[in-house]
Amino acid sequence: MDALPINSLLPELRQALASVNRIILQAPTGAGKSTALPLALLDWPEINGRILMLEPRRVAARSIAAYLARCRQQPLGQTVGYRVRGETHVSRNTKLEIITEGILTRMIQQDPTLDGVAMVIFDEIHERHLTTDLGLALALEVQTSVRDDLKILAMSATLQGVPLAQLLPDACTLTSEGRSFPITIGYRAVSGHQQERSALPAWLSHMGKTIVAMFNGTDVPELNDVQRLGSMLAFLPGRAEILKLQEYLTARLPDDIQLYLMYGDLPAALQDAAIAPPMAGKRKLVLSTNVAESSLTIEGITMVVDSGYRRQASFNPRTGVTRLGLKRISQASAQQRAGRAGRVAAGFCMRLWSQEEQGRLAAADDPEILTGELLPMVFEAANWGVKSLAQLPLLTPANEANEAVAWELLQALELVDAQHKLTEHGRAAYQFGATSPRLAHMVVKASALVADNADKQLLGLACLLAALLEARSRGSGCDVLDQLPQLLRGPEVKQAKQWLRRCQLAEEPASYLKAVNYHDVALLLALAFPDRIAKARGAAGFVLANGTGVTLERDAALASADWLVVADFQEQEGRSSGRVYLATMLPAALLDNELAFLCQWQDEAGWDDSKGRFLAERQRRLGKLILKREPLPQLDNALKCKALLALIRQRSLSLLNMDDRVRQLQFRLRLAQSTDPTQFPEMSDTALLTSLEQWLAPYLDDVSQLKQLATLDIYSLLLNCLSWQARQQLDEWLPTHWPMATGTRAPIRYDESGRALLSVRLQEALGMSDSPRLLQGKLVITMELLSPAHRPLALTADLASFWQGPYTEVKKEMRGRYPKHLWPDDPANTLPTKYTKKRTEAKPS
């Protein structure tokens, strides 16, 4: 421990803590920032209170805490302890707590002063989980508002892609040397001729063969014997690939190799075994997701094999579901993974892609706040009292579309009101403590339903469903009723018991399964997932209330149901419908009784092409699902207008008179916006379709036939959207004509590329020393010089260069064709004219 590089930085860190409360520390893998640094802080009298050190993963938090406790020669929970979801080892004597990021958020929400906490350390902050960004934002809010003595230390092996300096401009930045040995990098991409008949994808089969070859010392000349006789860490994107590769390798590895797995929901005992030193005379192979990319040190690793892939969660705000896609890792991630091979000796990393592709990898991974679902984060923000994530000091602004969907769903679940303020129901749901606001809402609603009933069956079932849906791994089959009994045999039963106790239910979980039925399960799941109630659409599967199509396996019993509630589904790349993983049959009678509040009657109208007129009807709807229709005898203007706007959005602006004047106005406004975006509104086709209610709807009262849309003066309607000042400014900056010295008003045409084109006969441009400029001199006009017959002769944005060069050839050719017109030798210093030479000479000077 004393030899770790971080020790040389400790005096500087201690001095910095005496004068500043925000510190950024960059220390490469192996420097000791997660071990030697917190141990030293325990003995500094300047740290008067508890230290919270955040780790992005549970396995790292448990491992680091256990190691530091051993260094102190104490049991866990004395000076050093840890808190992760569902597991706590701390006591009143604990001074250093290793916690996961979500734990910090809850601690701050429960005690906004962080009483008794002297310092918060964010380890591996570069991983940029949602909980990382939120935890840091809340800690900064606490420090700014009530705890200016709270010390915040942000640490990472790499700050690439982490804008800490921008968020914390007044922070002290320290840099430590790392302790790592040289690492040799090899590249071995899968090639086309390696394809063979296999149940594995080509890259995974290639990875298996490479691992076997490296252990056997064959066909890998870059690997030396010392490295080959060590242990290996192999990085894969997810649990499914790990299990497939485990099956492939089991009968192919040398006898002295012990195979271990490492992924997030692996039982703690198996994770500990993967981290522990290999048995005497044995070597280890650890197949891991990126949980082993940082923080964790696995004993004896001298070789790394990197698939180059990761699982990235990408939230689709339209469907409200997160897709897990296979993505290439970033250069920063590749560097982190390779570094795992150089912790104890000179190591070797085999990258299963080409060196050329390495240069094309993204510099850093996108933070989760840009790609992930923001519902839990927004719920935390509402409980904190902010109306928008933009009000928090975040490292990166949130994805606006994803945030909007999150607020909308919270409001639909009655967890927040229209002003994004937490409701009484929302406060009760937050106190329940589920990671998903949907599930917390379901349990609190169930509690209200059984409040006046001695039978607590529904509430107990809600607790079991919440535990099942929060479980990372589930049994086979997609029917929730089949999955529930398996819950009792898995680790999730512990969570179920905790929630039953929290709801003051003393019975064992099994007692709530005795009378389980589709009615109760569907009712509860519909409360949590109203947007995922699904209606059958024949052989094509089902349509969710949010409009998304989903399918089940053809032999699934639920495939023949008329209605479902879908609790879990995934979008599939290359397919228009998602695949259902967990659902229950919904008795249709629920929609007329207990779930009737989810349905609304609304009037709708649409254009019937075959009849050439508008038709209107009343519809009973559940989201986008139509449950019942009734014809409406009359169509009022508001309904007709709504139908027209919907039709225009469906068929695009081609129904309107988008003539050349309109297009020229759009091009001019786009250029004007680049200089003054506040004064000039966006009028692209997309923007116009979005804002039809504002600029078009007021003029549709007299429209009863589609052909009348084409008679509307769209140019004037759009021009009227501009203020008088903006119109004057537009004409000054980007006029439609240019006054020539001859008196001609030469037209200027603008195009989609942002070019301004002035067409004029060459003789009228004589005497102009250079091309005119528009937009306060920022835009050079492209001159289209015409012949006396108005045919194009030249196109130039540099008139001075044209006169000095290409004009000579134009003059030679045109003098013979148009001898009556002026073709001077010195065009830049010749008076312009719009007449023939004879008429020009006859004009009085």
Side-chain angles (χ1 to χ4, degrees), residues 400-417:
E400 291 183 4
N402 294 2
E403 182 181 353
V405 167
W407 285 113
E408 185 179 333
L409 181 56
L410 288 182
Q411 191 173 343
L413 297 177
E414 302 172 355
L415 297 169
V416 301
D417 61 20

Side-chain angles (χ1 to χ4, degrees), residues 520-561:
D520 290 349
V521 171
L523 171 61
L524 291 169
L525 291 183
L527 292 174
F529 302 97
D531 53 327
R532 298 186 190 173
I533 293 174
K535 183 180 180 182
R537 58 175 181 184
F542 295 79
V543 181
L544 302 184
N546 65 17
T548 305
V550 295
T551 57
L552 290 83
E553 296 292 339
R554 292 194 176 186
D555 58 352
L558 293 178
S560 60

Side-chain angles (χ1 to χ4, degrees), residues 109 377-387 407 410 415-416 420-422:
Q109 294 273 24
M377 187 178 192
V378 166
F379 194 34
E380 293 283 356
N383 189 70
W384 189 245
V386 299
K387 309 295 177 62
W407 285 113
L410 288 182
L415 297 169
V416 301
H420 296 178
K421 184 180 179 182
L422 209 64

Side-chain angles (χ1 to χ4, degrees), residues 557-569:
L558 293 178
S560 60
D562 293 325
W563 291 89
L564 297 176
V565 183
V566 177
D568 186 17
F569 79 98

Side-chain angles (χ1 to χ4, degrees), residues 446-469:
S447 180
L449 288 172
V450 303
D452 300 324
N453 191 336
D455 182 9
K456 304 293 185 181
Q457 163 67 22
L458 197 66
L459 180 55
L461 180 58
C463 291
L464 299 192
L465 286 172
L468 174 68
L469 294 173

